[in-house]
Amino acid sequence: MERELVIVLDFGGQYNQLIARRVRECNVYCEVKPYTISLDEIKKMNPKGIIFTGGPNSVYDDASPHYEKAIFEAGIPILGICYGSQLMAYTLGGEVKTAPVSEYGHTEVSVDTEDVLFEGVSEKTVCWMSHTDYIAQAPEGFKVTASTPVCPVAAMACPEKKFYATQFHPEVMHTKEGMQMLKNFVINICGCKGDWKMGSFVNETIAQLRQKIGNGKVLCALSGGVDSSVAAVMLSKAIGKQLTCVFVDHGLLRKNEGDEVEAVFGPNGAYELNFIRVNAQQRYYDKLKGVEDPEAKRKIIGEEFIRVFEEEAKKIGAVDYLVQGTIYPDVIESGLGQSAVIKSHHNVGGLPGVVDFKEIIEPLRMLFKDEVRKAGLELGIPEYLVFRQPFPGPGLGVRIVGEVTEEKVKIVQDADYIYREEIAKAGLDKGMGQYFAGLTNMRSVGVMGDFRTYDYAVALRAVNTSDFMTAEASEIPYEVLFKVTSRIINEVKGVNRVMYDLTSKPPGTIEFE
Ligand code: XMP
């Protein structure tokens, strides 16, 4: 079955994955590709439409990313956004200028509602602007379809060729009717049917996996988190007992987590899996001794994972593939095209260069978190597993700032356990995106009883997020925070201070490292 595809051509903007998400919300499959992809490759993928993203450059910078003009002769509808709109105007002979001041933030835009892109949109609509350069003159054959008092071409269109461009960002929430505009592009302009559904993705992927793997043996890195659990169940449906799941207890798990994972996926659990638990705690503590740099810690943890898997694979013998539950934001944040590397997710950039497997299979590589959950439900995985708190592969290693020691791990485990218990008791556990306790590298003076203490500060984090790319601190009632604080101080040895982290992402990240 040919799947409808829209390509987001990445020119280095911050919102590129958001554009892909929005397109998928129209039930059209979408992938982000770097602008360095060749036109031939694009044509081979047979996209129904292309979206040029924004980007930090001016089209006049020597280093600015451009694309060959022939893309405009390929007969594919194109929507240019922000930098992408300027690039379209510039390449097709319009005029792009630099304004003396930038236009930034919520802006009222007057739009031509006769234009297909703005069908069903209000004549005056609030859009999100973020630019310095602007299109002063649309290219020949284009009509201006939106403007603001300071931006003469806030949108332009050449309906005959199906080229559209907006100076503002329809993909961000601040553009009130942006979703309608994207839907108009994808459905009405590109002619997509919008029939991409999770059920078909799951079945297609299982069939592809079965074909690719044949009689091969596969090892799955199972952490018990949502992503790897969904990957494991998907693989088990595809190849049954050819799959072995290896669960590494790296000593950086939450309290009791090792036993909980074993209870679900182990011999007494609900799945008929070959399941191996490797207790590698001490090995990790030894490797992490004295290491403070977050990226170095991630790389060590990632490398050790692979080494453990290689050892297990040798014991099983002739293992061809390694499966990981990598998801799309991991791939993007680890650096794709022009976007900056935020951190090396251990599933992706944290892997060592040499890996002793024929290939690594990542069946969820193209899915966002909520899509992984939908896939999990399609696969019949129980809700309590599908909606588990996300837990990073490097585990408590990225929730302990600075050097990891066994003592610090115990402190975070106990503090985090209390925090989760109290959040659940207060009935707040369902609504929140992610919450956990971390350990700062700070020790400070306190007084307990009549004695001076010099102990660690625990940081509590709780965020609301839908896509894990942006997040805001949750407003936890003071009484709950107070209760958690007093329990942690009283019950966890080595802690004399508890703090609540109010930082959003960006500029923070969800984890501490
Ligand atoms: P950050 O800290 O990057 O987290 O804002 C975004 C989401 O990703 C999870 N995360 C990871 N997951 N390997 C993973 O499997 C990693 O290295 C990793 N780092 C962060 C984090 O828990 C949050 O849900």
Side-chain angles (χ1 to χ4, degrees):
M1 190 185 81
E2 177 95 333
R3 163 169 78 183
E4 289 180 334
L5 168 75
V6 166
I7 290 179
V8 169
L9 205 55
D10 179 0
F11 289 100
Q14 289 300 308
Y15 303 126
N16 304 346
Q17 50 289 21
L18 209 52
I19 304 175
R21 264 200 74 81
R22 298 283 178 250
V23 173
R24 290 192 196 181
E25 280 167 24
C26 304
N27 293 325
V28 173
Y29 185 68
C30 182
E31 281 187 25
V32 182
K33 295 286 172 197
Y35 76 94
T36 46
I37 187 177
S38 73
L39 185 53
D40 273 349
E41 282 175 85
I42 290 185
K43 284 182 182 162
K44 264 191 225 135
M45 297 169 81
N46 194 21
K48 300 281 282 185
I50 299 174
I51 300 180
F52 288 5
T53 72
N57 302 80
S58 159
V59 289
Y60 296 111
D61 293 346
D62 285 341
S64 66
H66 283 227
Y67 204 84
E68 53 184 301
K69 198 173 173 184
I71 196 167
F72 293 102
E73 280 134 37
I76 307 168
I78 300 177
L79 170 66
I81 294 176
C82 197
Y83 175 81
S85 75
Q86 294 157 14
L87 188 68
M88 181 185 285
Y90 175 81
T91 312
L92 295 176
E95 193 186 357
V96 175
K97 280 192 178 163
T98 303
V101 285
S102 304
E103 194 181 18
Y104 183 81
H106 295 97
T107 310
E108 190 175 80
V109 178
S110 307
V111 305
D112 173 1
T113 53
E114 300 284 299
D115 184 60
V116 195
L117 192 69
F118 298 122
E119 220 173 86
V121 173
S122 321
E123 275 176 20
K124 286 196 183 301
T125 183
V126 174
C127 299
W128 183 258
M129 290 281 194
S130 172
H131 67 111
T132 309
D133 280 10
Y134 65 100
I135 302 170
Q137 174 99 46
E140 222 179 283
F142 277 75
K143 59 180 179 160
V144 174
T145 53
S147 59
T148 76
V150 295
C151 183
V153 187
M156 61 179 194
C158 173
E160 300 76 51
K161 297 197 165 155
K162 302 197 174 174
F163 298 153
Y164 292 80
T166 63
Q167 181 55 71
F168 52 84
H169 289 270
E171 71 278 19
V172 302
M173 255 169 22
H174 313 292
T175 297
K176 290 231 162 73
E177 296 173 280
M179 194 58 210
Q180 179 65 35
M181 299 171 198
L182 288 173
K183 202 180 267 171
N184 286 340
F185 178 69
V186 170
I187 306 291
N188 298 340
I189 295 167
C190 300
C192 293
K193 290 195 279 295
D195 53 8
W196 187 67
K197 298 257 157 54
M198 197 41 75
S200 44
F201 172 84
V202 167
N203 292 333
E204 262 175 49
T205 310
I206 289 176
Q208 282 164 7
L209 288 169
R210 207 172 274 147
Q211 195 183 21
K212 180 185 178 90
I213 296 164
N215 295 323
K217 280 197 214 162
V218 178
L219 209 66
C220 176
L222 178 67
S223 70
V226 184
D227 307 338
S228 63
S229 301
V230 171
V233 174
M234 201 176 232
L235 259 296
S236 135
K237 295 231 166 177
I239 55 161
K241 287 282 191 175
Q242 285 160 254
L243 172 74
T244 302
C245 292
V246 176
F247 166 59
V248 181
D249 188 336
H250 50 20
L252 303 166
L253 298 169
R254 286 168 289 200
K255 190 170 176 167
N256 302 338
E257 189 160 27
D259 297 340
E260 283 166 17
V261 173
E262 190 169 343
V264 175
F265 294 102
N268 302 320
Y271 299 93
E272 284 192 21
L273 294 174
N274 297 319
F275 177 87
I276 298 174
R277 174 174 175 170
V278 184
N279 289 316
Q281 294 90 329
Q282 199 52 50
R283 177 171 173 167
Y284 275 86
Y285 297 149
D286 291 346
K287 286 268 171 190
L288 289 167
K289 200 165 180 190
V291 184
E292 293 186 351
D293 176 64
E295 281 294 279
K297 279 160 58 179
R298 280 168 178 272
K299 296 247 152 118
I300 290 171
I301 298 169
E303 161 121 28
E304 247 359 69
F305 251 95
I306 289 291
R307 299 300 165 233
V308 171
F309 290 129
E310 283 170 353
E311 289 164 23
E312 292 306 313
K314 281 211 186 84
K315 287 185 206 157
I316 297 167
V319 173
D320 306 289
Y321 301 99
L322 175 71
V323 171
Q324 291 204 122
T326 313
I327 69 169
Y328 209 31
D330 305 342
V331 175
I332 291 173
E333 290 203 345
S334 291
L336 170 103
Q338 291 286 294
S339 307
V341 175
I342 312 287
K343 40 174 103 157
S344 303
H345 280 254
H346 101 266
N347 282 340
V348 192
L351 284 185
V354 181
V355 177
D356 193 12
F357 291 97
K358 194 156 116 193
E359 203 180 317
I360 294 185
I361 297 182
E362 296 170 320
L364 312 175
R365 196 181 165 81
M366 287 299 160
L367 299 189
F368 290 100
K369 194 86 181 184
D370 55 334
E371 294 174 327
V372 173
R373 292 198 162 119
K374 278 190 203 149
L377 294 176
E378 285 292 330
L379 285 161
I381 301 176
E383 282 197 19
Y384 79 93
L385 278 182
V386 166
F387 291 98
R388 277 189 86 184
Q389 280 279 300
F391 188 64
L396 301 179
V398 292
R399 293 182 179 173
I400 293 170
V401 178
E403 187 188 7
V404 174
T405 63
E406 205 173 338
E407 179 211 359
K408 287 182 181 174
V409 169
K410 175 90 173 72
I411 292 177
V412 192
Q413 282 180 333
D414 290 344
D416 181 68
Y417 190 80
I418 292 171
Y419 185 32
R420 284 188 290 135
E421 200 170 61
E422 290 301 327
I423 290 284
K425 267 197 221 155
L428 299 169
D429 52 334
K430 299 285 180 306
M432 261 186 296
Q434 196 167 356
Y435 55 96
F436 55 85
L439 193 64
T440 71
N441 214 2
M442 183 189 101
R443 293 172 82 189
S444 64
V445 174
V447 52
M448 243 181 195
D450 290 328
F451 294 100
R452 174 188 188 272
T453 57
Y454 187 60
D455 283 331
Y456 284 107
V458 160
L460 304 177
R461 184 99 171 110
V463 294
N464 297 331
T465 175
S466 61
D467 54 14
F468 297 87
M469 304 297 293
T470 58
E472 269 167 25
S474 309
E475 286 186 39
I476 298 183
Y478 184 74
E479 323 71 91
V480 179
L481 287 174
F482 191 74
K483 178 88 188 286
V484 175
T485 303
S486 92
R487 275 197 63 194
I488 291 178
I489 303 272
N490 284 314
E491 295 174 35
V492 184
K493 201 162 164 285
V495 180
N496 67 354
R497 215 173 271 267
V498 175
M499 305 177 178
Y500 186 58
D501 182 355
L502 286 170
T503 322
S504 306
K505 173 184 180 178
T509 56
I510 295 175
E511 302 291 346
F512 291 115
E513 290 191 331

